[in-house]
């Protein structure tokens, strides 16, 4: 009986030591951190679902009927460099299969960086649905005609593909191959349209740029540091085109001084 009591006392004593041991406390802290992180992830996803439920296809359609995709008019003058925000890094695929991170800048910040090749101005045209292609064309074609002889300017038309099925490896390769056949041949001009594709979930990318309506097109002019210096949406007007071209010329002149 005494032996049994000694065994029980020793077992309780060892269990108490384990509960208060550094190993046990470390495990508890890890569990708390994991649960806290998991809770934050759940809250983040819950906020996203609420956001997406409040903003649907029909809301985009109604908005498109009201203003034809013109979410906001283009800024008439260039955004000062001190007030400009960075365009979020985005990985895109060319139809040949190669990929690149945009915007291409002259600084090493995780984005493609090469001082000798970095453009002084880049027009990035974003399209989330095929219905916005005519809007993109209304900007990109005049831009291309104006700066076709410039080696310091780049033009990217970016199509966003968020369907999980189309992001699957074999399907994605087949889609890019199909796009390669349908894309126009590159011109011999210094500047040509670069049509690229971004696959996957773009919710947080859109949130950074405050993009809500997916049926319209969005245009961003960025400088060699990847800062947004001008932006617009929807179909181009003559006045807005004039502001885009003058802001691009300003960036080219600014860098040459």
């Amino acid at each position: 009986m005494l032996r049994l009591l000694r065994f029980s006392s020793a077992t309780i004593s060892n269990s108490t030591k384990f509960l208060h041991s550094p190993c046990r406390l470390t495990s508890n802290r890890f569990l708390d951190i994991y649960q806290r992180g998991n809770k934050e992830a759940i809250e983040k996803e819950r906020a996203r679902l609420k956001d997406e439920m409040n903003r649907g296809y029909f809301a985009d359609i109604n908005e498109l009927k009201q203003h034809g995709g013109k979410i906001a008019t283009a800024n008439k003058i260039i955004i000062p460099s001190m007030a400009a925000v960075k365009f979020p890094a985005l990985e895109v695929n060319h139809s040949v299969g190669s990929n690149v991170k945009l915007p291409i800048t002259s600084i090493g910040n995780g984005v493609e960086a090469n001082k000798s090749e970095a453009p002084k101005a880049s027009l990035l045209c974003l399209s989330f649905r095929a219905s916005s292609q005519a809007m993109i064309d209304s900007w990109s074609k005049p831009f291309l005609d104006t700066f076709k002889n410039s080696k310091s300017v780049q033009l990217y038309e970016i199509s966003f593909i968020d369907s999980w099925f189309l992001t699957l490896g074999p399907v994605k390769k087949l889609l890019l191959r199909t796009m390669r056949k349908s894309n126009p041949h590159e011109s011999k001009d210094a500047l040509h349209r670069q049509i690229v594709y971004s696959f996957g979930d773009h919710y947080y990318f859109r949130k950074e740029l405050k993009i809500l309506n997916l049926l319209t097109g969005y245009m961003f002019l960025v400088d060699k540091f990847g800062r947004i210096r001008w932006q617009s949406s929807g179909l181009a007007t003559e006045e807005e085109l004039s502001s885009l071209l003058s802001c691009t010329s300003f960036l080219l002149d600014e860098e040459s001084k």
Side-chain angles (χ1 to χ4, degrees):
M1 184 70 177
L2 287 171
R3 191 176 299 170
L4 181 61
L5 287 170
R6 286 196 197 100
F7 175 77
S8 300
S9 299
T11 303
I12 292 169
S13 176
N14 290 336
S15 299
T16 305
K17 287 179 182 177
F18 174 74
L19 286 171
H20 294 284
S21 69
C23 180
R24 174 69 179 178
L25 291 173
T26 302
S27 299
N28 284 339
R29 280 198 298 271
F30 176 78
L31 185 60
D32 289 343
I33 291 169
Y34 173 78
Q35 288 177 336
R36 198 181 305 122
N38 195 40
K39 185 178 180 181
E40 288 173 1
I42 291 171
E43 290 300 322
K44 190 176 181 181
E45 189 61 25
R46 188 174 293 166
R48 170 178 176 163
L49 288 171
K50 184 179 179 181
D51 185 28
E52 291 185 326
M53 286 176 70
N54 288 337
R55 180 79 193 191
Y57 176 77
F58 292 107
D60 288 355
I61 283 285
N62 289 333
E63 206 170 65
L64 203 65
K65 288 178 180 178
Q66 288 174 15
H67 50 58
K70 185 66 67 180
I71 303 297
T73 55
N75 43 298
K76 295 181 179 180
I77 59 173
I78 199 161
I79 300 171
S81 58
M82 295 298 289
V85 298
K86 290 285 187 71
F87 188 91
L90 178 69
E91 185 169 323
V92 298
N93 294 91
H94 290 276
S95 58
V96 292
S98 60
N99 63 325
V100 65
K101 285 184 180 179
L102 297 177
I104 297 175
T105 68
S106 61
I107 53 177
N109 60 348
V111 182
E112 295 290 323
N114 187 323
K115 289 186 178 181
S116 62
E117 296 179 4
K120 294 176 181 178
S122 300
L123 181 63
L124 308 179
C125 305
L126 315 185
S127 173
F128 294 90
R129 299 291 182 266
S131 58
S132 64
Q133 188 56 51
M135 302 176 193
I136 301 297
D137 290 342
S138 71
W139 294 97
S140 63
K141 288 181 179 178
F143 186 85
L144 190 63
D145 290 340
T146 304
F147 298 104
K148 62 183 178 183
N149 296 320
S150 176
K151 294 181 180 179
S152 300
V153 179
Q154 286 192 345
L155 168 62
Y156 282 93
E157 292 187 10
I158 308 166
S159 293
F160 291 83
I161 300 168
D162 50 15
S163 166
W164 70 269
F165 178 71
L166 296 178
T167 60
L168 298 175
V171 182
K172 179 179 173 181
K173 287 181 181 178
L174 180 62
L175 179 63
L176 288 173
R177 191 180 304 144
T178 304
M179 294 299 185
R180 184 163 66 247
K181 292 178 181 178
S182 62
N183 285 345
H185 296 295
E186 293 183 355
S187 68
K188 295 180 180 180
D189 296 326
L191 173 65
H192 56 265
R193 282 196 309 165
Q194 298 192 60
I195 301 173
V196 294
Y197 308 89
S198 181
F199 292 84
D201 181 23
H202 303 105
Y203 174 77
Y204 294 106
F205 169 83
R206 289 189 280 111
K207 204 162 183 65
E208 278 194 67
L209 292 174
K210 297 179 173 59
I211 291 175
L212 295 175
N213 195 310
L214 301 184
L215 300 180
T216 191
Y218 298 86
M219 273 52 63
F220 296 89
L221 180 69
V222 301
D223 61 19
K224 71 174 186 177
F225 297 108
R227 299 172 301 198
I228 301 170
R229 306 297 297 275
W230 176 96
Q231 65 185 80
S232 189
S233 61
L235 284 166
T237 64
E238 286 188 19
E239 185 180 0
E240 289 177 319
L241 268 176
S242 178
S243 72
L244 167 61
L245 302 180
S246 64
C247 287
T248 306
S249 297
F250 177 86
L251 287 179
L252 297 178
D253 293 338
E254 183 182 52
E255 295 302 329
S256 62
K257 291 178 181 177

